Amino acid sequence: MNAPALLLCPLLLFVMGCVAGEPAPAAPPHAGADNPCAPGGTPRPPRRNIVATTVTPSGQVIDWIPIESQTPDGKIASPPAPPTSSSDAAPAPPSGAAPARSPVETGVELGPRGPAGTVPVLRPRQPQCDCLPGYVQQADGSCAELATHCSGEGAMASSKSFTVCCPELARIPLMERVDGKCVTTGHGAHLCAKCGDGACGAGENDCNCPNDCHAALGAAPPQGAAAEASTPAAAVGSSGP
């Protein structure tokens, strides 16, 4: 073995020893460790127009955004003109009623104020998520699997309660016949039903699903606006009521 080879051997042994002594690379973080919305969603990007951020005495985070960013065109309505006469002034409270209290008196504490020209926006304490297909938003902002958190046949769904109909069901109005007229009995909510399958199922009637229910009774379905209620809603599982 020549001299250069003898010099390289110790160097190679040293490098190999260093490599062997290095710790193994750390395993990738758990799906939910750096993503509180996993596995059904991704964290919603923060606001881009935050000018300043403050914390209230109770620990609530408040973001301050430009006042004009609240409208698409950046135009903010002007406040009404002050009253010019006693007749235009706000009516006095009834005799014996306590006067309205200011925010300071009611215990509202914003803490440090933001820059001039900004308004406060409360930052939610829970993570805000953008749900992936097949998942639905819950009241706490998380994403739950639609197949296990959807309203079944005959149940109600409402965006206020963060509920949606299961994918195979249609959203139809909550309606009943009162004194011979179809009356909506639930505003802001829908009934999850199999309207359109030819059978008058749970929650269906001649008002909210006339085609199915009149067919079951052997009668012809009504014409006009009432017949439109029997048309199943498109994309029943992935959208709100």
Side-chain angles (χ1 to χ4, degrees), residues 8-83:
L8 288 174
C9 284
L11 181 61
L12 291 173
L13 291 174
F14 175 79
V15 173
M16 292 175 64
C18 291
V19 173
E22 291 181 356
H30 187 268
D34 56 354
N35 177 12
C37 301
T42 57
R44 187 170 301 165
R47 291 177 177 268
R48 296 182 179 181
N49 57 348
I50 297 176
V51 176
T53 299
T54 58
V55 181
T56 68
S58 63
Q60 180 67 59
V61 178
I62 294 181
D63 294 320
W64 298 81
I65 62 174
I67 187 172
E68 64 273 6
S69 66
Q70 300 177 98
T71 58
D73 57 3
K75 296 180 180 179
I76 303 298
S78 301

Coordinates of all heavy atoms in Angstrom, one line a residue, residues 8-83:
L8 N -5.0 8.2 3.8 CA -6.4 8.3 3.6 C -7.2 7.4 4.5 O -8.3 7.6 4.9 CB -6.8 8.0 2.2 CG -6.4 9.1 1.2 CD1 -6.7 8.7 -0.3 CD2 -7.2 10.4 1.5
C9 N -6.6 6.2 4.9 CA -7.3 5.2 5.7 C -7.8 5.8 7.0 O -9.0 5.7 7.4 CB -6.5 4.0 5.9 SG -6.4 3.0 4.4
P10 N -6.9 6.4 7.8 CA -7.4 7.0 9.1 C -8.5 8.0 8.9 O -9.4 8.1 9.7 CB -6.1 7.6 9.7 CG -5.0 6.8 9.0 CD -5.5 6.6 7.6
L11 N -8.3 8.8 7.8 CA -9.3 9.9 7.6 C -10.7 9.3 7.3 O -11.7 9.7 7.8 CB -8.9 10.8 6.4 CG -9.8 11.9 6.0 CD1 -10.0 12.9 7.2 CD2 -9.3 12.7 4.8
L12 N -10.7 8.2 6.5 CA -12.0 7.5 6.1 C -12.6 6.9 7.4 O -13.8 6.9 7.6 CB -11.8 6.5 5.1 CG -11.4 7.0 3.7 CD1 -11.1 5.8 2.7 CD2 -12.6 7.8 3.1
L13 N -11.7 6.3 8.2 CA -12.3 5.7 9.4 C -12.9 6.7 10.4 O -13.9 6.5 11.0 CB -11.1 4.9 10.2 CG -10.6 3.6 9.4 CD1 -9.4 3.1 10.2 CD2 -11.7 2.6 9.4
F14 N -12.2 7.9 10.4 CA -12.7 9.0 11.3 C -14.1 9.5 10.8 O -15.0 9.7 11.6 CB -11.7 10.1 11.3 CG -12.2 11.4 12.0 CD1 -12.2 11.4 13.4 CD2 -12.7 12.4 11.3 CE1 -12.6 12.5 14.1 CE2 -13.1 13.6 12.0 CZ -13.1 13.6 13.4
V15 N -14.2 9.7 9.4 CA -15.5 10.1 8.9 C -16.6 9.1 9.1 O -17.7 9.4 9.5 CB -15.3 10.4 7.4 CG1 -16.7 10.7 6.8 CG2 -14.4 11.6 7.2
M16 N -16.3 7.8 8.9 CA -17.3 6.8 9.1 C -17.7 6.7 10.6 O -18.9 6.5 10.9 CB -16.7 5.4 8.7 CG -16.5 5.3 7.2 SD -15.7 3.8 6.7 CE -16.9 2.6 7.2
G17 N -16.8 6.9 11.5 CA -17.1 6.9 12.9 C -18.0 8.0 13.3 O -18.9 7.9 14.1
C18 N -17.8 9.2 12.7 CA -18.7 10.4 12.9 C -20.1 10.1 12.5 O -21.1 10.4 13.1 CB -18.1 11.6 12.3 SG -16.6 12.2 13.1
V19 N -20.2 9.6 11.2 CA -21.5 9.3 10.7 C -22.2 8.3 11.5 O -23.4 8.4 11.8 CB -21.4 8.8 9.2 CG1 -22.7 8.4 8.7 CG2 -20.8 10.0 8.3
A20 N -21.5 7.2 11.9 CA -22.2 6.2 12.7 C -22.6 6.7 14.1 O -23.6 6.3 14.7 CB -21.2 5.0 12.9
G21 N -21.9 7.7 14.6 CA -22.2 8.3 15.9 C -23.3 9.3 15.9 O -23.8 9.7 17.0
E22 N -23.7 9.8 14.7 CA -24.8 10.8 14.7 C -26.1 10.2 15.0 O -26.5 9.1 14.6 CB -24.8 11.4 13.3 CG -23.7 12.3 12.9 CD -23.8 12.9 11.5 OE1 -24.8 12.6 10.9 OE2 -22.9 13.7 11.2
P23 N -27.0 10.9 15.7 CA -28.3 10.4 16.1 C -29.2 10.3 14.8 O -29.0 11.0 13.9 CB -28.9 11.4 17.1 CG -28.1 12.7 16.7 CD -26.8 12.3 16.3
A24 N -30.1 9.4 14.9 CA -31.0 9.2 13.7 C -31.9 10.4 13.6 O -32.3 11.1 14.6 CB -31.9 7.9 14.0
P25 N -32.3 10.8 12.4 CA -33.1 11.9 12.2 C -34.5 11.8 12.9 O -35.0 10.7 13.0 CB -33.3 12.0 10.7 CG -33.0 10.6 10.2 CD -32.0 10.1 11.1
A26 N -35.0 12.9 13.4 CA -36.2 12.8 14.2 C -37.4 12.5 13.3 O -37.4 12.8 12.1 CB -36.5 14.2 14.8
A27 N -38.3 11.7 13.8 CA -39.5 11.3 13.1 C -40.4 12.6 12.8 O -40.4 13.5 13.5 CB -40.3 10.3 13.9
P28 N -41.1 12.5 11.6 CA -41.9 13.7 11.3 C -43.0 13.9 12.4 O -43.4 12.9 13.0 CB -42.5 13.3 10.0 CG -42.4 11.8 9.9 CD -41.1 11.5 10.6
P29 N -43.4 15.1 12.6 CA -44.4 15.4 13.7 C -45.7 14.7 13.4 O -46.0 14.5 12.2 CB -44.5 16.9 13.7 CG -44.0 17.3 12.3 CD -43.0 16.3 11.9
H30 N -46.4 14.4 14.4 CA -47.7 13.8 14.3 C -48.6 14.7 13.5 O -48.5 15.9 13.5 CB -48.3 13.5 15.7 CG -49.6 12.7 15.7 ND1 -50.8 13.3 15.6 CD2 -49.8 11.4 15.6 CE1 -51.8 12.4 15.6 NE2 -51.2 11.2 15.6
A31 N -49.6 14.1 12.8 CA -50.5 14.9 12.0 C -51.2 16.0 12.7 O -51.4 17.1 12.1 CB -51.6 14.0 11.4
G32 N -51.5 15.9 14.0 CA -52.1 17.0 14.7 C -51.2 17.8 15.5 O -51.7 18.8 16.2
A33 N -49.9 17.5 15.6 CA -49.0 18.2 16.4 C -48.9 19.7 16.0 O -48.9 20.6 16.8 CB -47.7 17.5 16.4
D34 N -48.6 19.9 14.7 CA -48.5 21.3 14.1 C -49.7 21.7 13.3 O -49.6 22.7 12.6 CB -47.2 21.4 13.3 CG -47.2 20.3 12.2 OD1 -48.1 19.5 12.1 OD2 -46.2 20.4 11.4
N35 N -50.7 20.9 13.3 CA -51.9 21.2 12.6 C -53.1 20.8 13.4 O -53.6 19.6 13.4 CB -52.0 20.4 11.2 CG -53.3 20.7 10.5 OD1 -54.0 21.6 10.8 ND2 -53.5 19.9 9.4
P36 N -53.6 21.7 14.2 CA -54.8 21.4 15.1 C -56.0 21.0 14.4 O -57.0 20.5 15.0 CB -54.9 22.6 15.9 CG -54.4 23.7 15.1 CD -53.2 23.1 14.3
C37 N -56.0 21.2 13.1 CA -57.2 20.9 12.3 C -57.2 19.6 11.6 O -58.1 19.1 11.0 CB -57.4 22.0 11.2 SG -57.6 23.7 11.8
A38 N -56.1 18.9 11.7 CA -55.9 17.5 11.1 C -56.8 16.5 11.9 O -57.1 16.7 13.0 CB -54.4 17.1 11.2
P39 N -57.3 15.5 11.2 CA -57.0 15.2 9.8 C -58.0 15.8 8.8 O -57.8 15.6 7.6 CB -57.0 13.7 9.7 CG -58.1 13.3 10.7 CD -58.0 14.4 11.8
G40 N -59.0 16.4 9.3 CA -60.1 16.9 8.4 C -60.0 18.2 7.8 O -60.9 18.7 7.1
G41 N -58.9 19.0 8.1 CA -58.8 20.3 7.6 C -57.4 20.9 7.8 O -56.5 20.3 8.3
T42 N -57.3 22.2 7.4 CA -56.0 22.9 7.5 C -56.3 24.2 8.2 O -57.4 24.8 8.1 CB -55.4 23.2 6.1 OG1 -56.4 23.9 5.3 CG2 -55.1 21.9 5.4
P43 N -55.3 24.7 8.9 CA -55.5 26.0 9.6 C -55.8 27.1 8.7 O -55.2 27.2 7.6 CB -54.2 26.2 10.3 CG -53.6 24.9 10.4 CD -54.0 24.1 9.2
R44 N -56.8 27.9 9.0 CA -57.2 29.1 8.2 C -56.1 30.1 8.3 O -55.6 30.5 9.4 CB -58.5 29.6 8.7 CG -59.1 30.7 7.8 CD -60.5 31.0 8.2 NE -61.3 29.8 8.1 CZ -62.5 29.7 8.7 NH1 -63.0 30.7 9.4 NH2 -63.2 28.6 8.6
P45 N -55.7 30.7 7.1 CA -54.6 31.7 7.2 C -55.1 32.9 8.0 O -56.3 33.3 8.0 CB -54.4 32.1 5.7 CG -55.0 30.9 4.9 CD -56.1 30.3 5.8
P46 N -54.2 33.5 8.7 CA -54.5 34.7 9.5 C -54.9 35.9 8.6 O -54.6 35.9 7.4 CB -53.3 35.0 10.3 CG -52.2 34.4 9.5 CD -52.7 33.2 8.8
R47 N -55.6 36.8 9.2 CA -55.9 38.0 8.4 C -54.7 38.7 7.9 O -53.6 38.7 8.6 CB -56.7 39.0 9.3 CG -58.1 38.6 9.7 CD -58.7 39.6 10.6 NE -60.0 39.3 11.0 CZ -61.1 39.7 10.4 NH1 -61.0 40.5 9.3 NH2 -62.3 39.3 10.7
R48 N -54.8 39.2 6.7 CA -53.6 39.9 6.1 C -53.6 41.4 6.4 O -52.5 42.0 6.1 CB -53.6 39.7 4.6 CG -53.5 38.2 4.1 CD -53.5 38.1 2.6 NE -53.3 36.8 2.2 CZ -53.2 36.4 0.9 NH1 -53.3 37.3 -0.1 NH2 -53.1 35.1 0.6
N49 N -54.7 41.9 6.9 CA -54.7 43.4 7.1 C -54.6 43.8 8.5 O -55.1 44.8 8.9 CB -56.0 43.9 6.4 CG -57.2 43.3 7.0 OD1 -57.1 42.2 7.7 ND2 -58.4 43.8 6.7
I50 N -54.0 43.0 9.3 CA -53.9 43.3 10.8 C -52.8 44.4 10.9 O -51.7 44.2 10.5 CB -53.5 42.0 11.6 CG1 -54.6 41.0 11.5 CG2 -53.2 42.4 13.0 CD1 -54.3 39.7 12.2
V51 N -53.2 45.5 11.5 CA -52.3 46.6 11.8 C -51.6 46.4 13.1 O -50.4 46.7 13.2 CB -53.0 47.9 11.7 CG1 -52.1 49.1 12.0 CG2 -53.7 48.1 10.3
A52 N -52.3 46.0 14.1 CA -51.7 45.8 15.5 C -52.5 44.7 16.2 O -53.6 44.4 15.8 CB -51.8 47.1 16.2
T53 N -51.9 44.2 17.2 CA -52.5 43.1 18.0 C -52.3 43.5 19.5 O -51.2 43.8 19.9 CB -51.9 41.7 17.7 OG1 -52.1 41.4 16.3 CG2 -52.6 40.7 18.6
T54 N -53.4 43.4 20.3 CA -53.3 43.7 21.7 C -54.0 42.6 22.5 O -54.6 41.7 21.9 CB -54.0 45.0 22.0 OG1 -55.4 44.9 21.6 CG2 -53.4 46.2 21.3
V55 N -53.8 42.6 23.8 CA -54.3 41.6 24.6 C -55.1 42.3 25.8 O -54.6 43.2 26.4 CB -53.2 40.7 25.2 CG1 -53.9 39.6 26.1 CG2 -52.4 40.0 24.1
T56 N -56.3 41.8 26.0 CA -57.2 42.4 27.1 C -56.7 41.9 28.4 O -55.9 41.0 28.5 CB -58.6 42.0 26.9 OG1 -58.7 40.6 27.1 CG2 -59.1 42.3 25.5
P57 N -57.1 42.6 29.5 CA -56.7 42.1 30.8 C -57.1 40.7 31.1 O -56.5 40.0 31.9 CB -57.5 43.1 31.8 CG -57.6 44.4 30.9 CD -57.8 43.9 29.5
S58 N -58.1 40.2 30.5 CA -58.6 38.8 30.7 C -57.8 37.8 29.8 O -58.1 36.6 29.9 CB -60.1 38.7 30.4 OG -60.4 39.0 29.1
G59 N -56.9 38.3 28.9 CA -56.1 37.4 28.1 C -56.7 37.2 26.7 O -56.1 36.4 26.0
Q60 N -57.7 37.9 26.3 CA -58.3 37.7 25.0 C -57.5 38.5 24.0 O -57.2 39.7 24.2 CB -59.8 38.2 25.0 CG -60.4 38.0 23.6 CD -60.6 36.6 23.2 OE1 -61.2 35.8 23.9 NE2 -60.0 36.2 22.1
V61 N -57.2 37.9 22.9 CA -56.4 38.5 21.8 C -57.3 39.3 20.9 O -58.3 38.8 20.5 CB -55.6 37.5 21.0 CG1 -54.8 38.2 19.9 CG2 -54.6 36.8 21.9
I62 N -56.9 40.6 20.6 CA -57.7 41.4 19.7 C -56.8 41.9 18.6 O -55.7 42.4 18.8 CB -58.3 42.6 20.5 CG1 -59.3 42.2 21.5 CG2 -58.9 43.6 19.5 CD1 -60.0 43.3 22.3
D63 N -57.3 41.7 17.3 CA -56.6 42.2 16.2 C -57.2 43.5 15.7 O -58.5 43.6 15.7 CB -56.6 41.2 15.0 CG -55.8 39.9 15.3 OD1 -54.8 40.1 15.9 OD2 -56.3 38.8 15.0
W64 N -56.4 44.5 15.4 CA -56.9 45.8 14.9 C -56.7 45.9 13.4 O -55.6 45.7 12.9 CB -56.2 46.9 15.7 CG -56.4 46.9 17.1 CD1 -55.8 46.1 18.1 CD2 -57.4 47.7 17.8 NE1 -56.3 46.4 19.3 CE2 -57.3 47.3 19.2 CE3 -58.3 48.6 17.5 CZ2 -58.1 47.9 20.2 CZ3 -59.1 49.2 18.5 CH2 -59.0 48.8 19.8
I65 N -57.8 46.2 12.7 CA -57.8 46.2 11.2 C -58.2 47.6 10.8 O -58.9 48.3 11.5 CB -58.7 45.1 10.6 CG1 -60.1 45.3 11.0 CG2 -58.2 43.7 11.0 CD1 -61.1 44.4 10.3
P66 N -57.8 48.0 9.6 CA -58.3 49.3 9.1 C -59.8 49.4 9.0 O -60.4 48.4 8.6 CB -57.6 49.4 7.7 CG -56.4 48.5 7.8 CD -56.9 47.4 8.7
I67 N -60.4 50.5 9.4 CA -61.8 50.6 9.4 C -62.4 50.4 8.0 O -63.5 49.8 7.8 CB -62.3 51.9 10.0 CG1 -63.8 52.0 10.2 CG2 -61.8 53.1 9.2 CD1 -64.2 53.2 11.0
E68 N -61.7 50.8 6.9 CA -62.2 50.7 5.6 C -62.2 49.3 5.0 O -62.8 49.0 4.0 CB -61.5 51.7 4.6 CG -60.0 51.3 4.5 CD -59.1 52.0 5.5 OE1 -59.7 52.6 6.4 OE2 -57.9 51.9 5.4
S69 N -61.5 48.4 5.7 CA -61.4 47.0 5.2 C -62.6 46.2 5.5 O -62.7 45.1 5.2 CB -60.1 46.3 5.8 OG -60.3 46.2 7.3
Q70 N -63.6 46.8 6.2 CA -64.8 46.1 6.6 C -65.8 46.0 5.4 O -66.7 45.2 5.5 CB -65.5 46.8 7.8 CG -64.6 46.8 9.0 CD -65.3 47.6 10.1 OE1 -65.9 47.0 11.0 NE2 -65.3 48.9 10.1
T71 N -65.6 46.8 4.4 CA -66.5 46.7 3.2 C -65.7 46.5 2.0 O -64.5 46.8 1.9 CB -67.3 48.1 3.1 OG1 -66.3 49.1 2.9 CG2 -68.1 48.4 4.3
P72 N -66.3 45.8 1.0 CA -65.6 45.5 -0.2 C -65.0 46.7 -1.0 O -63.9 46.6 -1.5 CB -66.6 44.7 -1.1 CG -67.6 44.2 -0.1 CD -67.7 45.2 1.0
D73 N -65.8 47.8 -1.0 CA -65.3 49.0 -1.7 C -64.6 50.0 -0.8 O -64.1 51.0 -1.3 CB -66.5 49.7 -2.4 CG -67.6 50.1 -1.4 OD1 -67.4 49.9 -0.2 OD2 -68.6 50.6 -1.8
G74 N -64.4 49.6 0.4 CA -63.6 50.5 1.3 C -64.4 51.7 1.8 O -63.8 52.6 2.4
K75 N -65.7 51.8 1.5 CA -66.5 53.0 1.9 C -67.3 52.7 3.2 O -67.9 51.7 3.3 CB -67.5 53.4 0.7 CG -66.8 53.8 -0.6 CD -67.8 54.2 -1.6 CE -67.1 54.6 -2.9 NZ -68.1 55.0 -4.0
I76 N -67.1 53.6 4.1 CA -67.8 53.5 5.4 C -68.9 54.5 5.5 O -68.7 55.7 5.1 CB -66.8 53.7 6.5 CG1 -65.7 52.6 6.4 CG2 -67.5 53.5 7.9 CD1 -66.1 51.2 6.5
A77 N -70.1 54.1 5.9 CA -71.2 55.1 6.0 C -70.9 56.1 7.1 O -70.2 55.9 8.1 CB -72.4 54.3 6.4
S78 N -71.3 57.3 6.8 CA -71.1 58.4 7.7 C -72.1 58.4 8.9 O -73.3 57.9 8.7 CB -71.3 59.8 7.0 OG -70.4 59.9 5.9
P79 N -71.8 58.8 10.0 CA -72.7 58.8 11.2 C -73.8 59.8 10.9 O -73.6 60.8 10.2 CB -71.8 59.1 12.4 CG -70.7 59.9 11.8 CD -70.4 59.3 10.4
P80 N -75.0 59.6 11.5 CA -76.1 60.5 11.3 C -75.7 61.9 11.9 O -74.9 62.0 12.9 CB -77.3 59.8 12.0 CG -76.6 58.9 13.0 CD -75.3 58.4 12.4
A81 N -76.4 62.9 11.4 CA -76.1 64.2 11.9 C -76.7 64.3 13.3 O -77.7 63.7 13.7 CB -76.8 65.3 11.0
P82 N -76.1 65.1 14.2 CA -76.6 65.3 15.5 C -78.0 66.0 15.5 O -78.3 66.7 14.5 CB -75.6 66.2 16.2 CG -74.9 66.9 15.1 CD -74.9 66.0 13.9
P83 N -78.8 65.8 16.5 CA -80.2 66.4 16.5 C -80.1 67.9 16.5 O -79.2 68.5 17.2 CB -80.8 65.8 17.8 CG -79.6 65.4 18.6 CD -78.6 64.9 17.7

